């Protein structure tokens, strides 16, 4: 919603005020196809040169992420804490053997299946199951487990923000590419130096459209989308920090309720359930 409103506001304020103040939109519209084609073509080509195939493949999806917003909502954080509470309580009551059936086949687990959105997030399931598998293998040192999880989270964050950093790189280069397009327009104008002033004026104006488009696209469209994409991934990373904190708290011998409370305090403030809400939610959790 907000990105859409922002884009509309940008176009209304930039082009609407330009026209209202007496600017001739015909010059921009005449030069637009050629200048835009030059700038976009060069920008996309440079993007392809400077990034891997994996980043290129993920870029369209990441642009949608920037427009749609964060994946995790308030209820998802409550569901995550309830699911971790169920796993911790089961381990506390029946030992590690009791959770093997859940972590070996999570998509058949009665605990995971209660929370389908989390179940379909591969990284969430992997980090929970992989961590608990290391416990069944005998690695129970909380500091070692925390270090192992931290490395997984760092790798995941680096990979997920790759397209965002790449888009920011494109935004940094667009003003210069706009200058390239403008210079070509000036070269074209100089080749027609014998034309009347009114024609030369239009040609110079068309050339300057290239500079305008490069700066406009960089700072009003691409850079904001890149910034929002990275901000969303930073917020979503908090979802995985909660998994780490709850499991580490459990490994340190804390009660399931205390482990979940530690996780609850890490939920972003605008989506954080109250202590009473979380207590009510965990009391309704079925342990099987």
């Amino acid at each position: 919603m907000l990105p859409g409103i922002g884009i509309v506001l940008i176009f209304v304020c930039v082009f609407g005020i330009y026209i209202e103040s007496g600017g001739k939109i015909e010059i921009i519209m005449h030069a637009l196809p050629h200048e835009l084609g030059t700038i976009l073509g060069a920008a996309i080509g440079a993007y392809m040169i400077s990034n891997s195939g994996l980043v290129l493949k993920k870029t369209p999806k990441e642009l949608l992420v920037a427009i749609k917003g964060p994946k995790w909502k308030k209820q998802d954080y409550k569901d995550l804490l309830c699911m971790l509470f169920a796993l911790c309580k089961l381990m506390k009551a029946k030992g590690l053997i009791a959770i093997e059936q859940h972590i070996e086949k999570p998509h058949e687990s009665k605990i995971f299946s209660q929370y389908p959105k989390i179940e379909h997030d591969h990284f969430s399931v992997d980090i929970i199951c992989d961590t608990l598998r290391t416990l069944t293998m005998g690695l129970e040192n909380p500091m070692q487990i925390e270090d192992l999880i931290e490395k997984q989270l760092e790798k995941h964050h680096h990979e997920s923000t790759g397209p965002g950093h790449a888009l920011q790189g494109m935004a940094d280069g667009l003003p210069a590419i706009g200058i390239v397009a403008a210079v070509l327009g000036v070269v074209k104008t100089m080749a027609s130096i014998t034309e009347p002033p009114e024609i030369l004026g239009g040609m110079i104006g068309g050339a300057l459209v290239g500079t305008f488009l490069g700066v406009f696209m960089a700072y009003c469209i691409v850079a904001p989308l890149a910034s929002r994409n990275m901000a969303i991934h930073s917020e979503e990373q908090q979802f995985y920090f909660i998994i780490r904190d709850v499991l580490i708290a459990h490994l340190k011998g804390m009660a399931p309720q205390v482990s979940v409370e530690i996780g609850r305090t890490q939920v972003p403030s605008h989506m954080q359930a109250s202590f009473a809400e979380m207590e009510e939610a965990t009391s309704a959790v079925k342990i099987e």
Side-chain angles (χ1 to χ4, degrees):
M1 177 65 77
L2 285 177
I5 294 173
I7 288 174
V8 170
L9 182 62
I10 287 169
F11 276 84
V12 168
C13 290
V14 172
F15 293 101
I17 293 176
Y18 170 76
I19 295 171
E20 182 65 24
S21 63
K24 294 184 178 181
I25 196 66
E26 295 82 6
I27 295 176
I28 294 177
M29 297 306 295
H30 177 74
L32 187 64
H34 308 288
E35 300 292 333
L36 190 61
T38 299
I39 294 169
L40 276 181
I44 292 172
Y47 193 79
M48 294 173 69
I49 293 170
S50 59
N51 294 289
S52 67
L54 182 61
V55 169
L56 295 176
K57 185 178 179 181
K58 290 172 66 177
T59 298
K61 179 183 175 183
E62 293 303 321
L63 287 172
L64 289 176
V65 167
I67 294 170
K68 291 170 63 177
K71 174 170 60 174
W72 305 116
K73 311 301 180 185
K74 181 177 180 179
Q75 185 59 46
D76 299 321
Y77 284 95
K78 288 177 65 176
D79 288 346
L80 175 66
L81 291 170
C82 286
M83 185 176 73
L84 292 171
F85 173 80
L87 291 168
C88 290
K89 192 167 184 179
L90 184 62
M91 285 187 285
K92 201 80 170 178
K94 300 182 180 180
L96 291 174
I97 296 177
I99 64 165
E100 285 189 358
Q101 59 178 320
H102 298 285
I103 61 176
E104 292 303 327
K105 296 181 179 180
H107 299 298
E108 297 178 10
S109 165
K110 291 183 179 179
I111 292 178
F112 284 95
S113 62
Q114 293 179 56
Y115 312 101
K117 188 172 180 180
I118 299 173
E119 182 188 8
H120 289 98
D121 184 67
H122 296 296
F123 186 67
S124 294
V125 174
D126 287 347
I127 197 170
I128 293 171
C129 293
D130 290 349
T131 300
L132 296 179
R133 282 192 190 98
T134 60
L135 298 182
T136 62
M137 294 165 61
L139 181 61
E140 298 182 1
N141 186 305
M143 293 183 64
Q144 291 177 325
I145 295 290
E146 186 172 10
D147 185 56
L148 184 63
I149 297 174
E150 195 63 40
K151 288 178 179 177
Q152 288 180 280
L153 293 177
E154 287 178 5
K155 183 182 75 170
H156 177 266
H157 188 63
H158 175 75
E159 292 174 349
S160 63
T161 56
H165 287 294
L167 286 169
Q168 183 59 55
M170 175 186 277
D172 293 340
L174 274 169
I177 296 175
I179 292 173
V180 169
V183 169
L184 290 175
V186 172
V187 171
K188 179 182 174 183
T189 302
M190 295 305 293
S192 304
I193 196 68
T194 57
E195 296 291 339
E198 58 270 18
I199 294 179
L200 289 176
M203 294 178 72
I204 294 172
L208 291 175
V209 170
T211 302
F212 160 73
L213 284 176
V215 175
F216 176 77
M217 291 169 61
Y219 297 113
C220 294
I221 298 177
V222 180
L225 286 174
S227 177
R228 179 166 168 80
N229 177 268
M230 289 186 283
I232 287 170
H233 280 296
S234 293
E235 180 179 312
E236 290 182 348
Q237 187 78 342
Q238 196 64 31
F239 194 82
Y240 308 119
F241 287 156
I242 292 168
I243 296 174
R244 176 199 62 192
D245 294 343
V246 172
L247 293 179
I248 295 303
H250 171 77
L251 278 176
K252 290 179 178 179
M254 297 182 187
Q257 292 87 347
V258 177
S259 299
V260 165
E261 176 58 19
I262 290 173
R264 186 189 72 84
T265 61
Q266 300 304 311
V267 176
S269 299
H270 63 289
M271 288 188 283
Q272 186 180 66
S274 67
F275 181 89
E277 288 176 322
M278 206 62 245
E279 189 173 36
E280 181 182 354
T282 53
S283 64
V285 172
K286 296 180 180 179
I287 313 296
E288 297 186 31

